[in-house]
Amino acid sequence: RGVFVPDVIAILASLYFIVASGFTLVFGLMRNVNLAHGSLYLLGGYLGFFTAQFTGSWLLALAAGFAAAALVGLAMQVSIFRFIPGQDLRQTMVTIGLSIVIADLLMWIIGAQVHQMSPPVMLDGPLRGLPLIRAYSTYRLSLLPIGIAIGVALWLFLNRTRVGMMIRAGVDDRAMLAAAGINVNLVFAT
């Protein structure tokens, strides 16, 4: 009550976009069927949580979670996807298996209890005085500009940088990009 529904929908859509942007980049653009994304988010979330508990720094936790998920994703690209390009069924089966193994290992190591990290101090608490809204979570409201920034950054990266253009060219014609002297596996790993 007291919450304007389209604002809530926009913020929820922004949250979904932030989570789906990596999946869209890997599956939609590079055509790698990676169904282990959820486990990568889980790994990053756990490492971020424990980093925040140990250091007390929300930014360091964000960096640690991102780095962990990125390194495991890079390892998957180098050790799996480069050997089975275009083999959707094999990619699906291998990444489902990896997803189960990663999730079960994390549950075995950490346990099945729920861990929740508090937002940073500057985003904690309600934001008051908005039109049509009595109070709304500052953290949730911050997701809208973050989602927009991620979308713009991805678009700029893919359409305005040399690496983005090489990724798009490699998806369209991998052999031609390799013939131009570009290491396609390195570009895709990037």
Side-chain angles (χ1 to χ4, degrees), residues 20-159:
S21 60
F23 186 76
T24 302
L25 183 64
V26 171
F27 180 68
L29 179 66
M30 295 172 54
R31 294 180 181 87
N32 287 339
V33 183
N34 184 357
L35 298 180
H37 259 78
S39 293
L40 296 180
Y41 285 122
L42 182 66
L43 174 68
Y46 273 135
L47 286 175
F49 173 79
F50 288 118
T51 301
Q53 294 290 86
F54 184 71
T55 65
S57 171
W58 193 86
L59 284 176
L60 195 57
L62 181 67
F66 175 79
L71 286 174
V72 174
L74 176 65
M76 289 172 65
Q77 176 66 35
V78 170
S79 64
I80 297 169
F81 291 123
R82 74 184 267 196
F83 296 112
I84 51 175
Q87 298 178 23
D88 295 346
L89 184 59
R90 284 189 180 164
Q91 290 175 356
T92 301
M93 297 307 290
V94 168
T95 56
I96 286 174
L98 278 174
S99 178
I100 293 168
V101 167
I102 292 169
D104 283 352
L105 282 174
L106 288 171
M107 190 164 57
W108 177 61
I109 294 167
I110 297 167
Q113 71 233 30
V114 174
H115 298 281
Q116 188 166 347
M117 195 165 95
S118 299
V121 176
M122 66 183 198
L123 296 178
D124 201 13
L127 187 62
R128 299 188 187 280
L130 296 172
L132 302 172
I133 302 174
R134 291 186 207 150
Y136 200 76
S137 166
T138 307
Y139 172 72
R140 286 192 174 234
L141 206 55
S142 71
L143 293 176
L144 188 59
I146 290 171
I148 292 169
I150 287 173
V152 169
L154 275 174
W155 183 84
L156 288 172
F157 172 72
L158 291 172
N159 292 300

